[in-house]
Amino acid sequence: MAPPLLRVHRLEVRPPGAATSICRDVSFDLAGGERVALVGPSGAGKTTLLRALNGSVAALSGRIDLAGETVNPSATGALRGLRRRIAVIPQKHDLVEPLRVYHNVMAGALGRWSDAHALRFLFWPLAAELGEAQAALERVGLGDKLRARAGTLSGGQQQRVAIARALVQRPLLLLADEPVASLDPRLAHQALQLLCRLAEDDGIAVICSLHQPDLARQYFPRTIEMEAGRLVGDRTRDARPQTVPAAPAMRQERAARLA
Ligand SMILES: Nc1ncnc2c1ncn2[C@@H]1O[C@H](COP(=O)(O)OP(=O)(O)O)[C@@H](O)[C@H]1O
Ligand SMILES: [Mg+2]
């Protein structure tokens, strides 16, 4: 049998400055293309687990295998290779607001570019690079924002730029940390629907921490639950192939079109 895309084995994480371990004995597998919601009360350790998975905080012990390769979670040398295959959408968007949208989108390509390439892109982007940014922006419905300053976009639009940046990275795994926490319910549905549909189209696995259990149920066939640093639940709803439900607003639009 093929190995899972991600295997987390007895991971223990104690970030610098923390007196005790924040994640303990965390083990789970994730298949390629699988979508999982990570739920649990505030302070449960969701953000810390996601940070350990993307290598931004070292683990104290345990093992992370990605695509059949063991990544020593406490070795910083492994981080660049690991990060290249894992895209991150943080809770608070982390766009560079004074720069243009295409700069932010193509930040997803930095892992495969040299420093000299990145510097040249900042001042003299090539047509092919702008074309790649444009294609990603069209997929998130922002085809007209290529040259806008990132800081002039609304919160929902900035979140979609972060999704476009993740797509440009061509990751195996996308980690989203409460990506809709700052959006109103309608925009939250639309953002999750978009995120899940694009991940499904590209075969990208997703781990998405969420506060709202109803959103977790609606968009994620599997839910992992954390409490006080430990996994306390792991449920897969059914064995049908994963498909993304339409967001409510889109359903209405579709109904209106059909009427
Ligand atoms: N670097 C750190 N130093 C000290 N405490 C930390 C650190 N990072 C996280 N914590 C603590 O770990 C607990 C879990 O945090 P977090 O992973 O952010 O949980 P969640 O995302 O589920 O709300 C919290 O009590 C938080 O204060
Ligand atoms: Mg958190």
Side-chain angles (χ1 to χ4, degrees):
M1 223 173 72
L5 172 70
L6 177 74
R7 169 159 287 171
V8 179
H9 182 69
R10 307 206 67 173
L11 198 68
E12 177 160 358
V13 190
R14 187 180 302 176
T20 57
S21 294
I22 306 300
C23 298
R24 297 158 193 267
D25 202 15
V26 172
S27 300
F28 66 97
D29 284 358
L30 187 76
E34 193 175 5
R35 290 198 311 277
V36 180
L38 179 62
V39 302
S42 185
K46 304 181 296 296
T47 295
T48 303
L49 174 60
L50 293 176
R51 294 185 69 216
L53 293 179
N54 81 24
S56 58
V57 55
L60 196 62
S61 62
R63 221 176 77 195
I64 299 172
D65 294 350
L66 185 70
E69 232 178 88
T70 296
V71 184
N72 180 349
S74 57
T76 47
L79 291 188
R80 198 173 159 93
L82 177 66
R83 281 210 176 112
R84 198 177 299 177
R85 288 170 292 174
I86 299 182
V88 175
I89 297 182
Q91 174 172 344
K92 170 111 181 60
H93 69 79
D94 58 348
L95 304 186
V96 186
E97 296 201 337
L99 290 184
R100 297 187 191 279
V101 167
Y102 67 78
H103 287 126
N104 281 280
V105 171
M106 293 312 287
L110 289 179
R112 54 179 190 268
W113 287 355
S114 66
D115 290 348
H117 187 153
L119 190 64
R120 192 267 302 141
F121 173 75
L122 193 58
F123 298 104
W124 298 286
L126 300 181
E129 292 161 344
L130 292 176
E132 188 177 352
Q134 178 68 27
L137 285 168
E138 281 169 12
R139 294 184 73 192
V140 299
L142 292 176
D144 57 338
K145 298 294 184 194
L146 183 72
R147 293 174 189 278
R149 300 270 176 205
T152 64
L153 303 188
S154 70
Q157 288 172 331
Q158 294 198 359
Q159 195 56 279
R160 282 190 277 161
V161 172
I163 295 174
R165 181 186 60 196
L167 294 173
V168 160
Q169 196 177 334
R170 299 178 212 146
L172 295 170
L173 172 61
L174 175 60
L175 304 175
D177 192 5
E178 307 230 11
V180 298
S182 57
L183 302 180
D184 71 41
R186 191 179 59 88
L187 284 178
H189 273 284
Q190 285 183 359
L192 279 180
Q193 209 264 349
L194 182 69
L195 182 76
C196 291
R197 185 165 50 74
L198 294 174
E200 186 169 76
D201 289 348
D202 290 9
I204 302 168
V206 180
I207 303 176
C208 177
S209 77
L210 283 173
H211 243 86
Q212 308 89 325
D214 58 318
L215 290 179
R217 271 194 303 276
Q218 199 168 341
Y219 293 98
F220 294 85
R222 180 176 167 200
T223 300
I224 289 178
E225 191 177 350
M226 272 188 104
E227 210 177 285
R230 295 178 187 273
L231 292 198
V232 294
D234 186 345
R235 286 185 307 277
T236 301
R237 260 169 293 288
D238 60 44
R240 279 177 301 175
Q242 300 188 3
T243 48
V244 182
M250 296 184 188
R251 244 184 257 143
Q252 282 161 16
E253 276 164 30
R254 205 172 290 163
R257 269 205 310 276
L258 292 174

